[in-house]
Amino acid sequence: MQTSRFAPLVPVLAVLGSVTSLAIGTSYAKHLFPLIGAQGTSALRVGFSALFLLLLWRPWRWHTRRADAVSILRYGLTLGLMNLLFYMALRTIPFGIAVAIEFTGPLTVAMLSSRRPVDFLWVGCAVAGLLLLLPLGGAPALDPAGVLYALGAAACWGLYIVFGKRAGHLHAGHSVSLGLTAAALVVVPVGVVHAGALLLQPQVLLAGLLVAVVSSAIPMSLEMMALKRLPKETFGILISMEPAVAALWALLLLGEYLSGLQWLAIALTVLASVGSAATARRRPPPAPAAAA
């Protein structure tokens, strides 16, 4: 059967759909902050996402070695802390800016793994973008606490990547479902302490379930599909659009207007991420086996 000429666009649209779904879900989540706070909202998102993935993948079907359990636990704890810190940042700084700052985490990990001259160009773009966002000198005023929360989320994202690679040999459903369960152990207790019985209100639970589906279940499913069909570098370039997409949806759904300098900072962050992914060192193909 002849393959449709539009087939190559499917994984690309999947990544764009993932980024868009995440942006819409997070924008909607901010409407829950006045009711249950950032802590309670994060607890519902992570808790429902973990429950959904546990039911979907049933990780108890796989044997988990002790070393793998430790890797998954570290991966999950940093994932949970990253989500909590990011939602805390969203209380006081715009969504698009928080995402741009958070992106410095994976960028740092990528840059530390390479010493080629071109990488210093992307480092310069990322640093310039970050300096334009930080409340220094003539930069537009941002809440310092919000910026620190976003930087904390960036550090956790970097560690999440490092720990995630150590569990990379496991089935994705195995590691992600158990990792999100570990993340829930961090986030849910904080949310319960902060919001208490408010989390059990039917309308709050329904809204939290919607946030979990749109912000986690749909994006993760689309990304897993795209990763199977796209080269890693292409996937990295497409996912780098996230700060710009987040800023655009925050403008449309939340009315978060950014200054020209802040849009420039986001553009520099996107450029650094795209450049890093596009010029990533490709592993040479394995040498053919010698003839007997």
Side-chain angles (χ1 to χ4, degrees), residues 18 32 38 50 54 58 71-72 80 124 133 156 199 201 258 260-261 266:
S18 168
L32 290 175
L54 282 175
R58 304 189 300 277
S71 296
I72 292 173
L133 292 175
C156 288
L199 293 174
Q201 293 182 3
L258 303 181
L261 279 178
I266 290 175

Side-chain angles (χ1 to χ4, degrees), residues 107-121:
L107 275 173
T108 300
V109 172
M111 300 308 175
L112 289 177
S113 65
S114 180
R115 293 292 185 275
R116 295 174 304 155
V118 70
D119 291 320
F120 291 100
L121 173 62

Side-chain angles (χ1 to χ4, degrees), residues 149-196:
Y149 279 126
L151 288 172
C156 288
W157 195 352
L159 291 173
Y160 157 81
I161 292 172
V162 173
F163 294 143
K165 286 182 177 179
R166 296 177 183 175
H169 60 284
L170 301 175
H171 186 281
H174 183 190
S175 57
V176 172
S177 58
L178 290 181
L180 263 175
T181 302
L185 297 178
V186 175
V187 180
V188 172
V190 175
V192 170
V193 169
H194 177 81

Side-chain angles (χ1 to χ4, degrees), residues 11-58:
V12 174
L13 293 175
V15 177
L16 295 178
S18 168
V19 172
T20 301
S21 182
L22 177 60
I24 293 174
T26 305
S27 296
Y28 176 73
K30 287 195 71 170
H31 292 295
L32 290 175
F33 285 11
L35 295 175
I36 55 175
Q39 301 94 323
T41 306
S42 182
L44 289 179
R45 175 192 173 182
V46 174
F48 275 127
S49 298
L51 182 60
F52 174 79
L53 288 179
L54 282 175
L55 294 175
L56 175 65
W57 291 110
R58 304 189 300 277

